Amino acid sequence: MNPAAGTALAVLLSLVSAAGYALAAVAQSRLAAASPAAADGRGALRALLARGQWWWAVGLNAAGALAHVAALHYGPLTLVQPLGALTLVAALPLGAYCARRRVTRTEWRGALWTLAGLVGLVAVTGPAAPGEALSLRESLVVAAATAFLIAALASGRHHGNGGRAGRGLGHATASGIASGVASALTQTLTAALALDLPGAEPTWWQTALLAVLISGFATGGLLLSQAAYRGGFAAPLAVVNLSNPAAAAVIGVALLGETFRAGAWGWFAAAGASLIAARGVVLLTKGGGGAGEAGAGTRAGTEAGTGTGAGALVEGGAVARGAGGLPAARVAGLAVPEAEPAGVPLAG
């Protein structure tokens, strides 16, 4: 395949990946809106796994990930990663459509600010050298530190008076970090399977341990993102997309010898991009009533006759249980009862 055709295919696959992630995010947010909290954590998790809408979201996330990996096969990281930021741009109008409303001007401005900051962060972060990966010891240290950080973010104790929106952003940050660490550990597992890992050759149980850690962080990231959407939609989605590459960049700079492009000036560029993205998140938080949408979604699900259906999500380190339909499932081809339009904006 010639370079031009490879680049075009990489762009197409990147767009497919962004669409898959956007559809999954909307599906998760509608499921969260229809699932009020309850105390029975263990039973609620089983109920969540029994929901067909949840597995549609999982499948869409998996499809987005596979398309992203395929895009990296045909195109450079510097092209594919920025295109992945289009997830937010695609999800915003899609979420508004499912909520039967228009995207507000503030939401569009917030999305553009966040997109600019995210692209800036990706642009100044240098990729690792081919085959470079964490050692087994470094992997365990990173996994332990990340677990403590995620526990602190998901506990809900450090969000002040931010209420549900503050908890949602905390869960979103934890979700992005978990996914970023899972990616770094996946790179380590790939190197281990190729017997190209730094240090001594890994034993079977060390390789199995890496696989378990990857599964744990990937699953945790998915459940935490489900919890994040109880505090809104657009702002948590933006934070997930920001914290993921940020976590990978921290690991790369601290442990893999990566540097910001343009040397010392790269640090200033990264700081500026972070401020731009933070401005976008603030605008997205103010752009609509995400918490109100959750209540509207629950009410609509009940009026549609689905109030006894069980749904679930993780919130504050526990698992919550609830009920309701999934209007966004129509986009994914699911047959669901018709719910009344929610009159409250979706974005938080």
Side-chain angles (χ1 to χ4, degrees):
M1 182 178 293
N2 61 65
T7 299
L9 185 55
V11 170
L12 178 61
L13 289 169
S14 297
L15 296 178
V16 171
S17 174
Y21 282 132
L23 285 168
V26 173
Q28 285 185 267
S29 72
R30 301 304 295 180
L31 182 59
S35 302
D40 184 9
R42 184 174 301 176
L45 179 57
R46 288 196 298 266
L48 176 64
L49 297 178
R51 294 291 295 270
Q53 298 96 327
W54 166 254
W55 290 109
W56 269 103
V58 171
L60 288 167
N61 270 306
L66 290 174
H68 179 75
V69 171
L72 288 173
H73 178 72
Y74 292 103
L77 182 68
T78 51
L79 171 68
V80 174
Q81 284 293 90
L83 289 175
L86 294 176
T87 296
L88 177 62
V89 178
L92 196 60
L94 182 59
Y97 171 78
C98 292
R100 308 293 181 84
R101 68 173 185 84
R102 292 184 177 180
V103 181
T104 66
R105 190 173 299 178
T106 300
E107 288 174 319
W108 278 124
R109 288 195 292 123
L112 292 176
W113 277 82
T114 305
L115 183 64
L118 181 56
V119 172
L121 281 174
V122 173
V124 299
T125 304
E132 190 170 354
L134 298 172
S135 67
L136 286 170
R137 177 176 296 180
E138 290 171 337
S139 298
L140 294 177
V141 171
V142 168
T146 303
F148 281 112
L149 179 58
I150 289 175
L153 289 169
S155 66
R157 299 176 181 176
H158 304 288
H159 306 310
N161 298 322
R164 177 178 288 179
R167 291 194 300 273
L169 294 183
H171 290 141
T173 303
S175 173
I177 292 174
S179 299
V181 171
S183 297
L185 294 178
T186 299
Q187 184 184 35
T188 300
L189 178 61
T190 302
L193 294 176
L195 303 181
D196 194 26
L197 197 67
E201 181 177 324
T203 60
W204 68 268
W205 67 265
Q206 291 172 326
T207 304
L209 178 60
L210 282 174
V212 170
L213 290 174
I214 292 168
S215 300
F217 281 115
T219 303
L222 190 61
L223 292 173
L224 285 164
S225 67
Q226 179 70 58
Y229 294 132
R230 287 187 62 83
F233 174 55
L237 178 61
V239 171
V240 168
N241 280 274
L242 286 168
S243 54
N244 188 323
V250 169
I251 293 174
V253 171
L255 299 174
L256 297 179
E258 296 182 15
T259 59
F260 289 113
R261 294 190 177 97
W265 288 105
W267 290 92
F268 291 101
S274 299
L275 291 176
I276 291 172
R279 169 63 175 167
V281 172
V282 170
L283 288 173
L284 289 171
T285 304
K286 296 179 178 179
E293 175 68 14
T298 303
R299 183 174 61 256
T302 303
E303 293 172 355
T306 58
T308 57
L313 63 155
V314 177
E315 180 167 5
V319 184
R321 179 177 180 176
L326 181 64
R330 290 193 295 273
V331 181
L334 293 176
V336 294
E338 188 72 21
E340 288 187 13
V344 185
L346 180 63

